[in-house]
Amino acid sequence: MSLKEKLFSKLEAKEQQIETRRHLHANPELSFKEENTAKFIEDFYQDKDVKVTANVGNGFGIIVEINGKAPGKTIGLRADFDALPIHEEADVPFKSKNDGVMHACGHDVHTAYLLHLGEALIELKDEWNGTIKLIHQHAEEVPPGGAKSIVESGILDDLNEVYGIHIFHMLDVGEVGLISGNSMAGRSNFDLTIQGSGGHGAMPQTTRDALVAGAYFVAEVQTIVSRRMDPMDSVVVSVTAFDAPGGYNVIQDKVTLRGTVRYLDENNKVPAYEAMKKIAEGIESSFDVKCDLDYVYDYPVAYNHPEETQYVEDILSESVGYITEIKHPRPSSGSEDFAYYTQRTPGTFIHVGSKPEGVENPYPNHHPKFDVHEDSLLISAKTLGDVVLGRLGN
């Protein structure tokens, strides 16, 4: 039996993976508050022949180092474990016990498959060369995220390559997606406070109407994409909240807005901000209000290194039995702090299909009814196991 066959045989005890996933799903924790989840992960590796480093970075990050029988490459495998502030509406028996918190993005799946892949690799550590670092990452969902601080800690400075997986509802179970180059958008978030002067709704001439100024801002920022960016580039500007409470006859003196900007080319990061800043300055002049723009550069564009992406494709193309098709989807305007790992270390981020069985139009990630096909756990574990053995030369 080959080493890969031995690994896959251990992984095929998939009931354990599913049990772990369901426990994590029922006990979700928000970003930077994942204390119990981190303890669950640490306890999983207790008494195993590995080095576990906890509280890495700016939160509960955990690095598990597995040393093979002889020196070789050092490869990182990453999975995130935070949940979202969403009230779960999915009809599952292992529904979230923490009201208002839900694993609506699949991080429970990510953590479960990496735990059991790690366990199998530990049991076979005398049969492969090199070092594997399992990166159990906290706080992917909330900026500044966990990845940047883990990278900055220096604990991954010896990595030669790094790989990760995200499950996606738009791919069928058995389908794997690979994107070479810029694959997921960079992200900036903004808050805008417009301070005017309120008054009676029947006498608007005595006010400086912040609400009208805000409405003009919403309309004007659409021109950032339509008139200020290269039409061949992919840029998204979305105002996602407009807070202007009041009564029928009250003109408010202050309104607040917030939103997000996405771009698939880092060269558009600063120009997008500069364009928004000019619009805010124009609003101030036009409406005699004060605009306070708080604009935060967030996760960078996620770059999949072409050589490592091709390595993965070559390895998975020879896989039999668990991958039905390798697809090459378009880059996504979603963002991922996995980008920080590949800024420093060659690697790639793999998409694995998780569309629920018999569902033509599944609920997307971050939806309160989000659900997955649990076969995606085994496929994810086999995919990353296949890749790491191949890249370690075993």
Side-chain angles (χ1 to χ4, degrees):
M1 184 182 291
S2 70
L3 178 56
K4 186 168 102 169
E5 288 171 335
K6 291 179 182 178
L7 178 67
F8 281 15
S9 177
K10 290 180 178 296
L11 293 174
E12 281 162 3
K14 64 180 183 179
E15 292 79 11
Q16 295 177 349
Q17 294 186 50
I18 291 172
E19 182 181 340
T20 298
R21 181 255 164 166
R22 292 183 177 186
H23 168 81
L24 293 167
H25 189 90
N27 296 278
E29 294 179 298
L30 295 175
S31 304
F32 298 108
K33 298 179 180 179
E34 316 98 325
E35 183 175 2
N36 292 326
T37 305
K39 185 178 185 307
F40 178 86
I41 294 169
E42 290 179 63
D43 288 348
F44 184 89
Y45 293 106
Q46 193 172 22
D47 301 326
K48 292 181 171 62
D49 187 15
V50 292
K51 178 183 177 182
V52 178
T53 306
N55 300 319
V56 181
N58 58 357
F60 295 103
I62 299 168
I63 305 298
V64 179
E65 182 176 323
I66 312 170
N67 295 307
K69 64 180 177 164
K73 286 182 180 178
T74 299
I75 295 180
L77 307 177
R78 178 268 204 168
D80 38 16
F81 58 78
D82 55 327
L84 287 156
I86 295 174
H87 174 75
E88 182 163 14
E89 297 177 11
D91 185 18
V92 293
F94 45 92
K95 197 169 182 176
S96 172
K97 298 175 184 177
N98 300 332
D99 190 41
V101 185
M102 177 189 176
H103 271 299
C105 198
H107 297 185
D108 51 339
V109 173
H110 300 170
T111 299
Y113 82 70
L114 189 61
L115 285 170
H116 289 278
L117 172 61
E119 182 177 50
L121 289 167
I122 292 165
E123 291 172 358
L124 295 168
K125 65 196 297 291
D126 292 334
E127 298 189 41
W128 50 265
N129 298 328
T131 298
I132 297 170
K133 288 191 173 183
L134 307 178
I135 307 164
H136 288 285
Q137 186 206 306
H138 61 293
E140 188 276 328
E141 297 289 359
V142 174
K148 185 172 185 288
S149 66
I150 290 176
V151 171
E152 290 173 345
S153 75
I155 197 169
L156 303 178
D157 283 355
D158 58 347
L159 290 188
N160 299 113
E161 298 171 18
V162 64
Y163 299 96
I165 279 176
H166 203 303
I167 58 164
F168 280 103
H169 68 286
M170 69 284 286
L171 293 176
D172 289 326
V173 170
E175 294 179 342
V176 170
L178 297 174
I179 304 171
S180 184
N182 291 341
S183 63
M184 298 187 76
R187 180 176 79 188
S188 297
N189 292 331
F190 64 89
D191 288 272
L192 175 67
T193 300
I194 302 177
Q195 181 68 59
S197 177
H200 201 294
M203 293 177 284
Q205 76 279 8
T206 66
T207 72
R208 290 177 285 120
D209 195 332
L211 193 153
V212 173
Y216 269 79
F217 176 84
V218 173
E220 187 69 14
V221 292
Q222 307 311 309
T223 67
I224 293 176
V225 174
S226 67
R227 290 296 179 268
R228 301 168 193 244
M229 293 291 169
D230 188 327
M232 301 304 292
D233 289 345
S234 180
V235 180
V236 176
V237 177
S238 292
V239 178
T240 56
F242 192 139
D243 188 15
Y248 290 106
N249 59 354
V250 178
I251 292 176
Q252 300 302 304
D253 67 348
K254 182 173 72 173
V255 300
T256 58
L257 304 90
R258 69 177 55 91
T260 190
V261 180
R262 307 294 173 101
Y263 34 86
L264 278 167
D265 186 335
E266 282 288 318
N267 291 324
N268 285 322
K269 178 174 75 172
V270 174
Y273 161 67
E274 291 177 341
M276 186 174 292
K277 182 181 177 184
K278 287 179 180 178
I279 290 171
E281 291 170 348
I283 294 290
E284 286 185 320
S285 177
S286 297
F287 293 92
D288 193 21
V289 294
K290 175 64 177 175
C291 290
D292 181 12
L293 178 63
D294 182 12
Y295 194 99
V296 178
Y297 296 132
D298 198 7
Y299 301 165
V301 174
Y303 181 74
N304 289 338
H305 293 255
E307 190 171 0
E308 280 64 35
T309 305
Q310 188 60 53
Y311 289 152
V312 170
E313 179 149 9
D314 292 344
I315 291 167
L316 298 184
S317 294
E318 297 179 1
S319 299
V320 177
Y322 73 97
I323 292 178
T324 59
E325 185 177 0
I326 296 176
K327 293 198 165 188
H328 301 92
R330 295 187 302 172
S332 168
S333 57
S335 61
E336 243 287 349
D337 74 347
F338 185 85
Y340 288 114
Y341 299 112
T342 53
Q343 273 191 333
R344 187 200 171 281
T345 304
T348 195
F349 198 50
I350 304 163
H351 297 179
V352 170
S354 63
K355 183 185 292 185
E357 188 173 9
V359 179
E360 185 175 348
N361 296 305
Y363 293 104
N365 301 63
H366 293 217
H367 191 282
K369 292 184 179 180
F370 175 75
D371 196 12
V372 304
H373 196 309
E374 289 183 318
D375 282 356
S376 62
L377 281 99
L378 179 58
I379 292 170
S380 296
K382 285 185 172 182
T383 296
L384 218 53
D386 218 347
V387 169
V388 73
L389 290 183
R391 296 305 299 146
L392 288 172
N394 295 284

